[in-house]
Amino acid sequence: MAAQKLPLAKALNESLRKALETDPKVLIMGEDVGKLGGVFRITDGLQKDFGEDRVIDTPLAESGIVGTAIGLALRGYRPVVEIQFDGFVFPAYDQIVTQLAKMHARALGKIKLPVVVRIPYGGGIGAVEHHSESPEALFAHVAGLKVVSPSNASDAYWMLQQAIQSDDPVIFFEPKRRYWDKGEVDTEAIPGPLHTARVAREGADLTLAAYGPMVKVCLEAAAAAQEEGKSIEVVDLRSMSPIDFDTIQTSVEKTRRLVVVHEAPVFYGSGAEVAARITERCFYHLEAPVLRVGGFHAPYPPARLEEEYLPGLDRVLDAVDRSLAY
Amino acid sequence: MTVESTAARKPRRSSKRASAAGKPQSSEPQLVQLLTPEGVRVEHPEYAIDLSADELRGLYRDMVLTRRFDGEATALQRQGELGLWASLLGQEAAQIGSGRALRDDDYVFPTYREHGVAWCRGVDPTNLLGMFRGVNHGGWDPSTNNFHLYTIVIGSQTLHATGYAMGVAKDGADSAVIAYFGDGASSQGDVAESFTFSAVYNAPVVFFCQNNQWAISEPTEKQTRVPLYQRAQGFGFPGVRVDGNDVLACLAVTRSALERARRGEGPTLVEAFTYRMGAHTTSDDPTKYRHDDERQAWEAKDPIQRLRTYLENEGHADAAFFTALDEESDALAKRVREAVRAMPDPEDMAMFDHIYADGHALVDEERAEFAAYQASFAEEGK
Ligand SMILES: Cc1ncc(C[n+]2csc(CCOP(=O)(O)OP(=O)(O)O)c2C)c(N)n1
């Protein structure tokens, strides 16, 4: 397989397959990851081909999944665990924050914890409660964790490879409403570093910074703005911890305006971090305050309201207009 | 009505109180015991053990040195050299018995109180003091002695032990893993989840619960309505209660559980029934919740004294042995005291070290900023 068009979900599946093939220490663990292939089928067929010893159906206990993955990593394995949905990571949050994130430092670097926690996240699929959340800031805030999110099939394939190869714990957020979006995946390409941002579209008048599911929305917004004669650059952050501020800075020094877009609530969100740092770095370049577009300080609403809650084309374009009006 | 007055009127564990609480009759089951509190050797049909005089003296020496180390650490805390200390006073037999049952290739997941087990693993006791002095959060390399870092969040390590044991089984190795935790921690979800995982995957792990009767001020009755060792049954593996003040029984029972794990027969829960003679930590005030009678009753079951009585009665140790051991204890205490006082504070920049194995741009940036900030003082001084 070289370059081909794959849905993001299938790209992840191929990525896991490759990891299992390449390194006998890689294990997949989670609820329903075996015969069913996961509720989103990301692990489809892997247990059949690699056996129950490598692709492990676990008891329904999230703390247990992450806690035992830590033990397996201490024994030299590289577990990739699947949390079934964003809202169900919290029983494991203690293990992730108090154990997984800190153990390397507590051992003064003598032990490594190459654990990947995969979390399908975000809304837009009309799901019930606890199935549409964006808790990435809660993890990015914790030293010792790395947090990434691909926005397209190629990144899904490569970033997951890189996350598995990393000796650090990586929280890997999968934009679930993009699972079925197809994109070109070149499995022989040489990928860029895991934590670099990517300019997804060049533009001159304003920078939109986004990651995961919102990159597509921002690209659509940029295309719509083009019709009105506005030239919008879109930066795909790809990594929320660390954040590649250099790439954003370069873009903002060119466009002089920045709008950060994400699904998670704006309040204390990753947009605040980007806005603050870019304001520090680019104060004299900015023509307008950095604006943020995102979710509200409200529980994720019932599915019939999620269209209003999620930043769509119009809310992004409204922020673009407000920025350009300064 | 104060807790103390209640305790004064009736002993905490009286049968009256137990039945009033609706506890089952079997709440005080037989302990596996090989050495009575009076120092008399007794046999148990399942747990035979035959130790040479040399080995018996070795166990005694371990317990005495561990107690002395622990006492010295308590003193160092009182002298302001340590920020906190969690004493194991009274739990020496549980820790030395189980610790000496381990093979070098076995792996230990301790709480924050397993100083005796660390001793058995050959961890330099001064290494244990770094976190209590505040110079690190652990600091030793767990793989050197197969002794994991102390874990403060109660119960978390039982899952790490289970995962590690799953890995041992995958590797086809015949080592075993032991997870220590307390009666209080037994209420944590992680402990229940570790029971589930270890049973489902038949992991070679021994759960060693030191039931020292208290979790800070909370008695075991606040954790469970059944004797702790009986919990195992519901998860599908055996549980056994051992006299935690009897080093021989702890050794025999742990050894048997480890062998079972090695044979591929899965986990065992060992409940070492013992007593925390001191405070929970040096910050605790047990007079607020615990009656002195209770401690006195347990002092009569002291793990060290009973082995001493046995050694003396059997002629396994002479006065010279005890004198030499006293001297060794003094030397250990002196070494520990000096080592603690000499422990350097970490460098300022150390807080940026080892956060990530593969580096992190923000850490690099903040390290550089902080270094520049610190350097600005040096320049001012010039
Ligand atoms: C999750 C969590 N909650 C609370 C604490 C605070 N704490 C530290 S030790 C302790 C009591 C533990 O009792 P037990 O498990 O019986 O062990 P012991 O200290 O008696 O050996 C508590 C409540 C903690 N460390 N972790």
Side-chain angles (χ1 to χ4, degrees):
Chain A
M1 177 178 116
Q4 56 175 297
K5 262 197 163 239
L6 293 179
L8 192 151
K10 181 67 179 160
L12 291 168
N13 178 266
E14 291 293 342
S15 188
L16 291 172
R17 173 175 295 278
K18 169 100 179 289
L20 287 163
E21 272 165 11
T22 321
D23 184 351
K25 294 292 185 186
V26 170
L27 304 172
I28 312 279
M29 301 168 66
E31 297 164 9
D32 305 303
V33 297
K35 278 211 177 69
L36 180 66
V39 291
F40 289 107
R41 312 290 184 268
I42 307 300
T43 56
D44 201 23
L46 298 179
Q47 191 181 65
K48 189 169 125 285
D49 296 342
F50 295 92
E52 291 181 23
D53 221 38
R54 304 280 311 279
V55 181
I56 306 167
D57 272 322
T58 62
L60 305 197
E62 281 72 13
S63 191
I65 294 171
V66 174
T68 54
I70 291 171
L72 281 156
L74 289 170
R75 181 73 191 180
Y77 287 86
R78 300 185 92 84
V80 183
V81 312
E82 176 172 301
I83 300 294
Q84 202 154 62
F85 280 92
D86 35 50
F88 307 138
V89 71
F90 296 105
Y93 195 64
D94 166 44
Q95 281 286 343
I96 293 172
V97 171
T98 69
Q99 308 298 322
L100 186 59
K102 295 193 167 128
M103 219 178 263
H104 175 72
R106 294 184 57 226
L108 302 181
K110 299 289 198 272
I111 53 173
K112 300 198 167 100
L113 286 178
V115 176
V116 176
V117 181
R118 294 181 36 242
I119 308 176
Y121 83 122
I125 63 164
V128 294
E129 202 187 6
H130 310 303
H131 289 68
S132 302
E133 297 176 9
S134 301
E136 61 271 18
L138 297 175
F139 294 89
H141 194 63
V142 178
L145 302 177
K146 289 181 172 173
V147 183
V148 301
S149 177
S151 69
N152 58 70
S154 175
D155 273 353
Y157 181 85
W158 283 113
M159 287 169 69
L160 186 52
Q161 291 290 305
Q162 292 168 316
I164 294 169
Q165 282 155 19
S166 168
D167 280 334
D168 287 312
V170 180
I171 313 298
F172 193 90
F173 280 103
E174 300 172 1
K176 67 171 89 82
R177 67 169 147 143
R178 304 290 174 233
Y179 272 148
W180 304 279
D181 288 4
K182 283 190 175 178
E184 192 79 23
V185 180
D186 182 351
T187 54
E188 261 125 58
I190 296 166
L194 178 58
H195 300 289
T196 50
R198 173 181 73 99
V199 177
R201 177 190 169 109
E202 304 250 7
D205 300 336
L206 179 145
T207 301
L208 285 173
Y211 52 84
M214 292 313 294
V215 172
K216 187 178 181 185
V217 175
C218 288
L219 287 169
E220 286 166 3
Q226 181 79 43
E227 287 170 20
E228 299 167 12
K230 297 166 195 157
S231 170
I232 307 287
E233 181 145 308
V234 178
V235 176
D236 178 356
L237 298 189
R238 299 173 76 248
S239 172
M240 280 85 79
S241 178
I243 293 177
D244 174 7
F245 290 107
D246 292 346
T247 298
I248 313 171
Q249 178 176 354
T250 305
S251 174
V252 171
E253 284 177 1
K254 177 174 72 170
T255 65
R256 297 176 167 254
R257 289 181 162 82
L258 175 63
V259 177
V260 195
V261 185
H262 52 60
E263 289 188 10
V266 166
F267 191 62
Y268 280 98
S270 35
E273 184 57 48
V274 174
R277 295 234 176 215
I278 291 302
T279 305
E280 284 176 21
R281 287 183 176 217
C282 305
F283 189 67
Y284 293 109
H285 288 92
L286 287 168
E287 299 283 351
V290 180
L291 300 181
R292 293 169 287 160
V293 183
F296 304 110
H297 193 56
Y300 194 88
R304 296 292 172 126
L305 281 177
E306 69 178 349
E307 284 281 301
E308 316 307 320
Y309 175 92
L310 290 168
L313 211 56
D314 290 339
R315 271 175 58 206
V316 175
L317 287 171
D318 177 64
V320 166
D321 289 346
R322 275 189 287 133
S323 176
L324 288 169
Y326 275 91
Chain B
M1 183 172 70
T2 66
V3 172
E4 207 157 300
S5 69
T6 316
R9 277 191 293 108
K10 45 186 180 180
R12 209 166 56 78
R13 245 160 263 285
S14 74
S15 56
K16 220 174 179 181
R17 160 102 179 251
S19 63
K23 280 190 137 195
Q25 282 296 304
S26 60
S27 67
E28 295 292 333
Q30 282 289 299
L31 306 168
V32 176
Q33 196 177 64
L34 297 175
L35 192 62
T36 69
E38 296 73 33
V40 178
R41 187 76 167 79
V42 289
E43 294 304 323
H44 189 281
E46 276 174 66
Y47 298 101
I49 195 163
D50 187 18
L51 299 175
S52 67
D54 211 32
E55 288 168 315
L56 290 166
R57 281 194 303 272
L59 293 172
Y60 182 79
R61 173 178 172 272
D62 288 337
M63 290 198 289
V64 167
L65 291 178
T66 298
R67 180 171 289 185
R68 182 54 182 267
F69 163 70
D70 185 75
E72 191 59 29
T74 303
L76 284 164
Q77 195 281 333
R78 296 297 182 227
Q79 291 158 16
E81 300 287 349
L82 301 177
L84 182 80
W85 183 244
S87 165
L88 63 28
L89 186 65
Q91 299 179 220
E92 294 86 353
Q95 295 199 14
I96 300 301
S98 61
R100 285 296 174 211
L102 297 162
R103 246 169 38 185
D104 280 354
D105 60 326
D106 293 338
Y107 206 99
V108 178
F109 287 87
T111 70
Y112 41 79
R113 202 189 289 281
E114 262 64 80
H115 323 312
V117 186
W119 171 263
C120 294
R121 298 308 283 174
V123 176
D124 185 328
T126 60
N127 272 348
L128 306 176
L129 298 170
M131 65 186 292
F132 293 100
R133 187 170 170 84
V135 301
N136 59 42
H137 288 312
W140 63 87
D141 179 353
S143 57
T144 306
N145 303 85
N146 280 4
F147 186 78
H148 192 66
L149 301 168
Y150 275 1
T151 299
I152 302 257
V153 180
I154 59 174
S156 291
Q157 75 281 3
T158 58
L159 280 170
H160 309 157
T162 301
Y164 194 95
M166 287 161 64
V168 168
K170 280 184 189 305
D171 294 344
D174 80 335
S175 5
V177 180
I178 189 163
Y180 288 87
F181 60 102
D183 47 308
S186 75
S187 298
Q188 288 279 338
D190 276 2
V191 173
E193 293 189 21
S194 71
F195 287 0
T196 298
F197 273 69
S198 63
V200 164
Y201 298 114
N202 207 40
V205 59
V206 174
F207 297 105
F208 195 91
C209 176
Q210 288 166 83
N211 177 357
N212 64 16
Q213 314 303 323
W214 293 95
I216 312 187
S217 70
E218 308 257 17
T220 314
E221 284 87 342
K222 281 272 149 58
Q223 317 295 339
T224 183
R225 298 282 289 171
V226 299
L228 285 173
Y229 77 98
Q230 287 179 4
R231 291 239 180 118
Q233 201 191 350
F235 290 87
F237 56 88
V240 49
R241 181 180 270 185
V242 59
D243 183 340
N245 287 20
D246 172 355
V247 70
L248 303 185
C250 288
L251 176 63
V253 166
T254 312
R255 190 178 271 171
S256 154
L258 290 165
E259 277 161 10
R260 188 173 176 277
R262 290 186 214 297
R263 287 194 305 268
E265 292 168 27
T268 304
L269 170 61
V270 177
E271 178 191 358
F273 202 76
T274 182
Y275 190 70
R276 188 191 80 212
M277 290 216 260
H280 168 72
T281 66
T282 45
S283 303
D284 175 36
D285 176 8
T287 63
K288 295 192 81 164
Y289 55 84
R290 196 175 80 178
H291 203 260
D292 247 8
D293 294 354
E294 187 183 91
R295 180 183 157 132
Q296 279 157 20
W298 278 92
E299 270 170 9
K301 304 181 198 173
D302 187 284
I304 296 188
Q305 184 52 48
R306 78 168 75 171
L307 185 56
R308 182 172 182 133
T309 307
Y310 177 61
L311 288 176
E312 287 175 336
N313 287 349
E314 297 294 311
H316 287 324
D318 56 14
F321 167 77
F322 293 110
T323 311
L325 186 53
D326 282 346
E327 283 165 15
E328 196 183 356
S329 296
D330 289 346
L332 174 68
K334 184 164 178 283
R335 178 166 82 80
V336 165
R337 191 161 57 242
E338 285 168 0
V340 165
R341 292 194 173 136
M343 235 176 236
D345 283 354
E347 298 288 327
D348 288 353
M349 300 313 276
M351 64 182 145
F352 299 105
D353 291 345
H354 308 302
I355 302 172
Y356 295 92
D358 299 340
H360 188 284
L362 178 65
V363 174
D364 295 344
E365 189 182 316
E366 291 187 349
R367 180 195 286 115
E369 278 170 12
F370 187 66
Y373 174 72
Q374 295 292 70
S376 70
F377 292 102
E379 271 155 34
E380 258 172 36
K382 270 187 200 147

